[in-house]
Amino acid sequence: LNTDADTESVSKSGDTMTGNLSLGDNVKAQFGASNDLALWHDGANSRILDAGTGFLAIGTNGTEIRLTGQSFDEFMAKFEQDGPVTLYHNHSPKIATTSSGISVTGDITLGDTNPTITFNDSSVTNLSHTILSASDNLRITSDANSVDSGSRVEIFDGSTEVARFSSGAVLVSGSVTADVSTKTPFISLGSTTN
């Protein structure tokens, strides 16, 4: 009968390790009665697989969850508890959620196949949508890449065109045309008084 303490094995009922546990490529650390969760390295990529029927939850009792580079000091994404979710490009924040929506730093580029921005409002008491410029000018440009010489900017109320801005002319309410071909094609709308 060997009564010496076993210092080379790990007990199935629970144990404490003082060194690293090294698993080779494609050797999985599996969890759950049906191996529902697995972590492994396939030789090129590291993988986490939730093969169960429920969801994969990542929780923290700290202030935030971070996705970073290998040095842990360059952010890719940051999820702050009771705060914003921030997405980064090359460690520079670009999109962040706020208490009222999102904040974008930089340009927004939409797809090239009839891209659409839709303002949805389920409220019957607030039917206004506003585009604000915090600087001096708000510029709307059509055909910035000079693809279509006949391009124009159109404004619709539902399916009815209420204004059209094209090179040399402005069409308002489908009936009034202002010829600006011989003048600087800018329209200044000043304040009005009764």
Side-chain angles (χ1 to χ4, degrees):
L1 178 65
N2 186 358
T3 59
D4 294 337
D6 185 356
T7 60
E8 302 297 327
S9 302
V10 177
S11 173
K12 292 175 61 178
S13 61
D15 215 329
T16 300
M17 297 182 61
T18 58
N20 296 327
L21 178 63
S22 180
L23 303 178
D25 290 342
N26 292 306
V27 177
K28 299 178 180 179
Q30 296 176 314
F31 304 87
S34 301
N35 297 326
D36 301 308
L37 176 64
L39 293 82
W40 74 100
H41 185 76
D42 64 10
N45 306 294
S46 299
R47 301 180 182 273
I48 300 175
L49 175 63
D50 175 25
T53 58
F55 53 81
L56 176 64
I58 301 176
T60 180
N61 190 43
T63 58
E64 60 194 34
I65 295 175
R66 299 177 176 182
L67 297 180
T68 70
Q70 64 177 353
S71 61
F72 296 104
D73 60 0
E74 184 167 325
F75 294 117
M76 292 182 285
K78 185 192 298 184
F79 305 81
E80 298 182 44
Q81 189 163 192
D82 300 322
V85 173
T86 307
L87 301 180
Y88 292 76
H89 177 82
N90 194 23
H91 196 50
S92 178
K94 294 301 178 183
I95 299 178
T97 61
T98 68
S99 59
S100 59
I102 64 169
S103 175
V104 177
T105 301
D107 299 331
I108 299 176
T109 302
L110 303 179
D112 58 359
T113 305
N114 298 323
T116 302
I117 298 177
T118 302
F119 298 90
N120 288 322
D121 193 343
S122 59
S123 170
V124 297
T125 59
N126 181 15
L127 299 180
S128 298
H129 301 287
T130 305
I131 300 176
L132 298 175
S133 173
S135 62
D136 293 336
N137 303 304
L138 174 63
R139 176 176 294 178
I140 301 175
T141 302
S142 176
D143 194 30
N145 295 324
S146 300
V147 175
D148 183 3
S149 60
S151 62
R152 57 186 180 265
V153 175
E154 300 170 324
I155 301 177
F156 280 78
D157 180 7
S159 60
T160 303
E161 184 182 48
V162 295
R164 180 192 306 167
F165 303 84
S166 59
S167 178
V170 176
L171 177 67
V172 181
S173 298
S175 60
V176 180
T177 301
D179 185 358
V180 294
S181 59
T182 59
K183 300 180 181 179
T184 303
F186 284 89
I187 297 176
S188 177
L189 300 179
S191 60
T192 60
T193 57
N194 293 328

